[in-house]
Amino acid sequence: MKMNLKMLIFAVCALFSVAGHALEESAGKPNVFIDYFYRPTSVPFPWVENLRNCVIEGINATGRVYLIDVDSKAALKLEAERRTDENVTDGGDMERLKVMTTEGANFLIQGYVTSMATEKKKLDDGTVYYGATCAYTLKVINPSNGKLVTTKTFKHGDGIINLATGNTEDEAIAKVCRQAIKAVRKLVDDAFKIQGKILEISETKKDEAKEVYISIGSDHGVGAGTYFEACLERTIQEHKSFKLIGELKVKNVESENLTLCEVKKGGKEIKAAIDGGQTVIVRTKNKGGGLLDKAAKAANSL
């Protein structure tokens, strides 16, 4: 009896040890499933698959998540006839979401294509070519409860900067779909923010922090050129808020949970906070607003 009790205690301890290890391993990048895309009857299935593949490529390029195609999971794979049929209807089914949670999904990405179209055009010399446009929405869902985490709508090929043309309709569509590769980073930045803290100041100049080490690295998808907000966490009547005090840019990812950053803004505030024993939180920042981005926005507003 004593031996059985010891074995039971040992088994329970081993179970908790494995569970703790699994939690520790999953504390970095989340497991994100990407579902099939919904489409209207007017949009050919191969065009939507092309767009979906480009979205997958773009998300993978961020290195921010472990992206898993539902097509690779036998329990989630739809029949070929239903996949190629228009208006796939069971992608958001709660029962299916439960299966995704069982399969290890932390998040689910769903795609809704609004339109994909081509327009036949001619040059002055009579040469025929095609222009393409597409519009779609991506939603990030928590599969454990079906709640929406974030949503973002994209339009490609509709502005001067974003023109997508080809000698054939398929070529034009392929080019407009490629624009999704870069565009989907905005969704990733919004939905899958990385958060850590400043560990120490590695370089100062007078009363300013110039370089700092932060507590996140390659395990969390941090890459060269990533920007972070430096914030102080505050609690006001049991509500947490963050006060922005600076901006960091990754200089060198040194390990799975250690990164050297250059202080771009707020060097004095960051040094004062660290010297005062305060915890400075760092969170990924969507660094946009470049010349091309502004030009594209202006063109699209015309």
Side-chain angles (χ1 to χ4, degrees), residues 22-133:
L23 287 172
E24 185 180 345
E25 285 186 334
S26 65
K29 301 178 187 178
N31 293 326
V32 179
F33 283 35
I34 184 164
D35 212 341
Y36 307 115
F37 283 12
Y38 297 79
R39 66 187 177 92
T41 56
S42 58
V43 179
F45 170 73
W47 289 7
V48 176
E49 280 294 276
N50 195 335
L51 175 63
R52 183 172 178 270
N53 289 335
C54 289
V55 169
I56 289 173
E57 183 178 342
I59 294 173
N60 275 328
T62 68
R64 191 74 58 80
V65 303
Y66 291 118
L67 190 64
I68 300 162
D69 190 339
V70 295
D71 214 22
S72 68
K73 295 285 185 179
L76 297 167
K77 192 171 183 179
L78 300 177
E79 297 87 345
E81 305 84 54
R82 238 189 312 168
R83 272 195 68 194
T84 54
D85 195 10
E86 65 274 1
N87 299 318
V88 178
T89 57
D90 59 345
D93 178 90
M94 282 304 297
E95 197 61 39
R96 196 156 180 266
L97 293 181
K98 289 180 183 177
V99 176
M100 290 184 185
T101 304
T102 303
E103 291 285 333
N106 302 121
F107 298 96
L108 167 68
I109 294 176
Q110 295 178 331
Y112 299 80
V113 175
T114 306
S115 66
M116 293 183 79
T118 59
E119 182 182 355
K120 188 175 181 180
K121 301 181 179 183
K122 280 187 179 182
L123 296 174
D124 292 339
D125 63 2
T127 302
V128 173
Y129 71 101
Y130 295 86
T133 58

Side-chain angles (χ1 to χ4, degrees), residues 58-59 62 64-65 184-193:
I59 294 173
T62 68
R64 191 74 58 80
V65 303
V184 295
R185 185 173 190 101
K186 295 178 181 178
L187 179 81
V188 174
D189 286 339
D190 285 349
F192 311 113
K193 289 184 180 295

Side-chain angles (χ1 to χ4, degrees), residues 210-228:
K210 304 304 290 183
E211 291 184 357
V212 297
Y213 279 105
I214 62 175
S215 64
I216 44 184
S218 57
D219 267 4
H220 307 84
V222 177
T226 302
Y227 280 82
F228 291 95

Side-chain angles (χ1 to χ4, degrees), residues 179-206:
Q179 293 182 13
I181 296 174
K182 183 178 179 181
V184 295
R185 185 173 190 101
K186 295 178 181 178
L187 179 81
V188 174
D189 286 339
D190 285 349
F192 311 113
K193 289 184 180 295
I194 309 171
Q195 182 168 303
K197 63 182 180 180
I198 293 179
L199 295 173
E200 66 175 47
I201 298 173
S202 63
E203 183 181 324
T204 61
K205 185 176 181 181
K206 295 183 179 179

